[in-house]
């Protein structure tokens, strides 16, 4: 049975990869519909021939890597169970200590290490791709440093989560999913609160915006929107990427408005103010809190489904997967695999909600600044800097895009220009 499951897993992953290769490289047509050709949304009007070619090449390969990486994670967890590695990790952990917390930590350490080794080649390919197309400016040492920080941050959180999770499972085999969900509420809020001041600085240096004239303009804009902001932060990203970004992060007193220095270097003040107005819209329309509520709802459904699926899988395939019960720490790879699958399958819903919020934020920004031209030039520069497709394939948009496509974003602003031409 174990061999059959493993064979089906490999064949399924191979066919899945072939489908997306065919879909991305031979089936889809990313050219613009006739009615948009020659407009400001047409990349041929603001990208040169080489940039057009590179954006298509880069986007196709990057999208293929995205669609291959998540199911590869599922395959990894499947073989951790089928090959008995999960049993081996459990044995090593029990031999190392008599304390349950230490045993769990050691098990998680081995699982995390093997996952890191298995997924690093795909991560490296993605890094080399972005380097080849001049998106990434990061040295190999810098990239490896970030990967190791990721590993230790994820390991620390994983140990805490797994210890609590399996304590709940052992205490209540039928309701652990509900108790786990109740704990995700304060834990998620805590993470959002500490991320800007504890986690993010591990990767980059943050400091108050140096351009005080621009900061005054941004804070004036925030004041118009009744946003209690006192400082704008910039982050040193030029050593890592040529891409542009700005965002609002955190909640409560730890909320921050952050600009990448690449954005400051490549956009003028009007374009930056448009981006800031867009980010402020998320605060004004309470998108952060709506997002938290949506995440908690999806988490509740996801944990319940995980509970039901784990019970079914173990009852039917437990011997092949070498899992005796849900309480067994060896079921952790199954738990992680199911969670990953549910996140992937639910991403079209979360992305659709996010795209709606981002469209609202674009509309708010142009209404607030009355500067559609700055918005259009901003999105054109974002396309150029990130070598993005203006009109991506349908499945790419559905599974990858938390923002509207550049075609949709630029067209919205162009429509605003036409409607207010005589204002």
């Amino acid at each position: 049975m174990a061999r059959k499951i493993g064979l089906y897993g490999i064949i399924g992953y191979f066919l899945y990869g072939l489908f997306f290769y065919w879909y991305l490289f031979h089936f889809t047509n990313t050219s613009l519909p006739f009615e948009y050709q020659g407009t400001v949304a047409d990349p041929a009007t603001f990208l040169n021939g080489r940039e057009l070619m590179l954006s298509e090449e880069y986007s196709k390969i990057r999208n293929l890597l995205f669609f291959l990486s998540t199911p590869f994670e599922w395959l990894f967890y499947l073989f951790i169970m089928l090959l008995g590695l999960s049993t081996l990790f459990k044995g090593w952990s029990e031999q190392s200590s008599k304390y349950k917390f230490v045993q769990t930590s050691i098990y998680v350490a081995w699982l995390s290490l093997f996952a890191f080794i298995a997924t690093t080649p795909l991560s490296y390919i993605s890094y080399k791709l972005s380097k080849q197309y001049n998106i990434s400016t990061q040295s190999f040492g810098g990239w490896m440093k970030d990967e190791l920080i990721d590993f230790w941050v994820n390991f620390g959180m994983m140990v805490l989560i797994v210890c609590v999770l399996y304590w709940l499972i052992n205490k209540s085999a039928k309701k652990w999913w509900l108790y786990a969900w109740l704990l995700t509420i304060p834990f998620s809020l805590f993470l959002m609160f500490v991320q800007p001041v504890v986690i993010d600085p591990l990767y980059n240096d943050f400091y108050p915006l140096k351009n005080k004239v621009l900061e005054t303009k941004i804070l004036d804009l925030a004041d118009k929107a009744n946003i209690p902001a006192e400082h704008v932060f910039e982050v040193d990203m030029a050593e890592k990427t040529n891409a542009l970004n700005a965002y609002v992060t955190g909640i409560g007193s730890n909320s921050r408005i952050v600009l990448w220095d690449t954005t400051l270097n490549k956009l003028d003040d009007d374009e930056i103010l448009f981006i800031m107005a867009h980010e402020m819209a998320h605060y004004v329309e309470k998108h952060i809190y709506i997002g938290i509520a949506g995440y908690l709802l999806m988490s509740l459904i996801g944990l319940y489904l995980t509970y039901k699926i784990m019970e079914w899988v173990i009852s039917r395939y437990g011997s092949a997967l070498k899992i005796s019960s849900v309480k067994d720490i060896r079921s952790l790879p199954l738990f992680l695999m199911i969670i990953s699958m549910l996140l992937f399958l639910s991403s079209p819903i979360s992305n659709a909600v996010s795209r709606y919020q981002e469209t609202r934020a674009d509309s708010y920004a142009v209404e607030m600044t009355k500067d559609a031209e700055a918005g259009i030039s901003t999105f054109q520069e974002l396309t150029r800097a990130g070598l993005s497709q203006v009109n991506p394939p349908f499945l790419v948009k559905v599974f990858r895009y938390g923002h509207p496509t550049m075609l949709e974003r630029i067209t919205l602003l162009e429509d605003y220009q036409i409607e207010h031409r005589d204002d």
Side-chain angles (χ1 to χ4, degrees):
M1 176 63 78
R3 289 184 178 181
K4 187 181 290 186
I5 293 173
L7 180 61
Y8 287 162
I10 292 172
I11 292 173
Y13 183 71
F14 179 73
L15 293 176
Y16 168 91
L18 279 181
F19 167 77
F20 273 102
Y21 176 80
W22 167 78
Y23 176 78
L24 294 170
F25 285 85
H26 300 289
F27 177 75
T28 57
N29 181 10
T30 58
S31 61
L32 265 61
F34 175 77
E35 62 268 27
Y36 296 108
Q37 294 178 10
T39 67
V40 290
D42 186 349
T45 64
F46 59 88
L47 298 180
N48 59 42
R50 176 173 171 76
E51 288 170 335
L52 282 170
M53 178 191 69
L54 291 178
S55 66
E56 282 299 309
E57 286 181 357
Y58 177 68
S59 295
K60 286 178 179 178
I61 301 171
R62 183 182 60 173
N63 290 332
L64 180 61
L65 285 173
F66 165 80
F67 283 112
L68 290 178
S69 60
T70 302
F72 179 79
E73 181 183 342
W74 309 341
L75 201 63
F76 165 77
Y77 288 128
L78 178 64
F79 274 90
I80 285 290
M81 293 180 286
L82 292 176
L83 296 177
L85 290 173
S86 188
T87 300
L88 197 61
F89 300 157
K90 181 183 179 182
W92 290 341
S93 67
E94 290 176 343
Q95 292 169 12
S96 301
S97 175
K98 63 179 181 179
Y99 298 106
K100 199 67 176 177
F101 174 77
V102 177
Q103 290 176 0
T104 302
S105 300
I106 293 171
Y107 177 93
V108 172
W110 280 111
L111 182 62
S112 299
L113 178 61
F114 272 65
F116 180 78
I117 293 170
T119 57
T120 292
L122 275 177
S123 298
Y124 179 72
I125 291 170
S126 182
Y127 160 71
K128 287 297 290 183
L129 177 71
S130 61
K131 189 88 170 175
Q132 179 181 344
Y133 283 86
N134 202 34
I135 304 297
S136 173
T137 58
Q138 192 173 25
S139 66
F140 174 78
W143 172 79
M144 199 66 226
K145 176 186 174 183
D146 283 351
E147 291 290 303
L148 291 173
I149 292 173
D150 268 344
F151 174 84
W152 287 111
V153 169
N154 291 335
F155 170 70
M157 288 195 293
M158 182 73 78
V159 168
L160 177 62
I161 291 168
V162 172
C163 284
V164 173
L165 177 66
Y166 278 85
W167 180 79
L168 291 173
I169 291 174
N170 279 276
K171 288 293 183 181
S172 178
K174 298 296 183 183
K175 294 294 180 78
W176 64 264
W177 58 273
L178 179 59
Y179 300 138
W181 176 76
L182 290 171
L183 288 177
T184 64
I185 300 173
F187 183 71
S188 299
L189 293 174
F190 174 74
L191 276 184
M192 291 189 70
F193 185 77
V194 302
Q195 182 170 339
V197 293
V198 177
I199 299 175
D200 289 348
L202 294 174
Y203 298 88
N204 301 102
D205 294 325
F206 291 78
Y207 34 83
L209 186 62
K210 297 173 186 175
N211 186 337
K212 296 305 175 184
V213 174
L214 177 60
E215 183 179 48
T216 300
K217 292 179 181 179
I218 293 172
L219 293 178
D220 285 344
L221 204 63
D223 186 58
K224 288 181 183 177
N226 296 315
I227 297 175
E230 296 181 3
H231 297 288
V232 179
F233 291 84
E234 61 179 285
V235 55
D236 183 12
M237 291 295 294
E239 293 183 357
K240 294 185 177 182
T241 182
N242 284 317
L244 313 181
N245 196 18
Y247 57 92
V248 176
T249 186
I251 56 174
S253 60
N254 277 3
S255 59
R256 286 183 171 185
I257 300 172
V258 180
L259 280 161
W260 286 11
D261 59 348
T262 51
T263 304
L264 294 166
N265 294 338
K266 292 185 179 181
L267 300 183
D268 62 34
D269 284 8
D270 288 338
E271 293 167 334
I272 291 172
L273 289 174
F274 181 89
I275 290 178
M276 288 292 95
H278 170 100
E279 296 301 331
M280 290 171 192
H282 293 308
Y283 179 93
V284 171
E285 300 204 353
K286 296 180 171 52
H287 290 165
I288 293 174
Y289 298 100
I290 293 171
I292 293 172
Y295 165 76
L296 292 175
L297 175 61
M298 296 291 280
S299 297
L300 177 61
I301 297 170
L303 282 169
Y304 175 72
L305 289 175
T306 301
Y307 155 70
K308 299 298 287 186
I309 294 170
M310 285 184 75
E311 291 283 356
W312 179 81
V313 170
I314 292 173
S315 67
R316 185 162 182 174
Y317 302 106
S319 59
L321 299 175
K322 301 171 180 62
I323 304 171
S324 58
S325 72
V326 177
K327 296 179 181 180
D328 190 342
I329 189 65
R330 291 178 296 176
S331 68
L332 179 59
L334 177 63
F335 174 86
L336 295 173
M337 183 173 71
I338 293 169
I339 289 289
S340 178
M341 287 178 170
L342 292 176
L343 284 172
F344 183 76
L345 292 174
S346 65
S347 61
I349 298 172
S350 56
N351 285 340
V353 173
S354 177
R355 287 195 300 271
Y356 170 77
Q357 292 179 337
E358 296 296 339
T359 300
R360 294 276 300 174
D362 285 345
S363 298
Y364 179 93
V366 73
E367 290 288 350
M368 188 179 196
T369 63
K370 308 296 182 186
D371 195 350
E373 191 64 42
I376 290 170
S377 59
T378 296
F379 292 145
Q380 290 175 339
E381 185 57 39
L382 284 169
T383 302
R384 178 182 292 106
L387 291 180
S388 305
Q389 288 174 313
V390 169
N391 186 34
F394 174 75
L395 290 179
V396 173
K397 175 184 173 180
V398 167
F399 281 95
R400 292 208 66 188
Y401 275 51
H403 288 72
T405 66
M406 285 302 181
L407 174 61
E408 293 166 336
R409 303 185 83 174
I410 294 174
T411 300
L412 182 147
L413 299 181
E414 190 176 24
D415 289 344
Y416 178 89
Q417 273 187 322
I418 294 170
E419 290 174 12
H420 297 80
R421 185 169 289 165
D422 298 327
D423 292 358

